Amino acid sequence: AQLNDIVTNTDVSDLYTAIYATGSTPDGANSPITLKGYTWVDPDGRFKLFSDGTLRDPVANQSWSRLVGNDALTGGFINRVKTYEAQTQETLLQSALSDLKKYNHPAVTYTTDIVVLPDDVQVGDTVHLRDENEQLFLTARVLELTYSYSTKSGTATLGDYLIESSGTD
């Protein structure tokens, strides 16, 4: 594919580095379950569950903390409170952990202006994109292809972008 441009858009509106999760209210209880008092240790050592029931990502917090320097290691977390349908602390933890992994970094999207797309490219194919000026090298899947016979132009919708190395040293 030949491109005019690749525009990178970064959105931090859903980013958080700590989550306080609540689940369902058990029968006979007055309040929903939380992770308070639950014991769990991340096998990879990255995520930390605190006694107050907050699940934190100290690694992401070093990049996104509201504080700087050593203070970012222990404070300044971007917090999110979220409610789940979980009925046990174990399933509540897994739901919160899954979301924290998903939202502990900015959402990045790409808009590409394609000049020429080879005729043999089909929906589902993987294409390689590069912007050498910005040293940006991507792969993307072709999600949709449309063609307008009246304007003799086509549109390709790409997704599942992955950053790849340039292949040069």
Side-chain angles (χ1 to χ4, degrees), residues 8 10 12 26 28-29 45 68 80 87 111 117 128-129 136 164 168:
T8 304
T10 304
V12 296
V68 294
R80 178 70 43 104
Q87 298 182 10
T111 304
L117 190 65
H128 298 272
L129 311 169
L136 178 62
E164 56 182 15
T168 58

Side-chain angles (χ1 to χ4, degrees), residues 21 44 54 57 68-70 76 79-80 103 107 110 115 160-161 164:
D44 298 326
T54 303
D57 183 351
V68 294
N70 287 337
N79 298 292
R80 178 70 43 104
Y103 296 107
Y110 302 95
V115 178
D160 300 334
Y161 287 92
E164 56 182 15

Side-chain angles (χ1 to χ4, degrees), residues 112 114 117 121-129 138-145 156-162:
T112 53
I114 302 171
L117 190 65
V121 171
Q122 300 292 319
V123 171
D125 287 354
T126 298
V127 293
H128 298 272
L129 311 169
L138 305 168
T139 61
R141 282 193 53 232
V142 178
L143 302 178
E144 182 180 359
L145 292 170
T157 302
L158 306 177
D160 300 334
Y161 287 92
L162 294 174

Side-chain angles (χ1 to χ4, degrees), residues 89-151:
Q89 286 182 310
E90 181 180 357
T91 57
L92 181 59
L93 173 76
Q94 291 309 313
S95 296
L97 181 61
S98 176
D99 277 352
L100 185 55
K101 287 178 179 180
K102 183 177 179 180
Y103 296 107
N104 65 358
H105 56 280
V108 177
T109 58
Y110 302 95
T111 304
T112 53
D113 180 8
I114 302 171
V115 178
V116 176
L117 190 65
D119 291 336
D120 60 347
V121 171
Q122 300 292 319
V123 171
D125 287 354
T126 298
V127 293
H128 298 272
L129 311 169
R130 70 176 181 227
D131 183 342
E132 292 178 356
N133 293 336
E134 298 296 325
Q135 289 297 298
L136 178 62
F137 302 89
L138 305 168
T139 61
R141 282 193 53 232
V142 178
L143 302 178
E144 182 180 359
L145 292 170
T146 57
Y147 186 78
S148 170
Y149 291 98
S150 62
T151 62

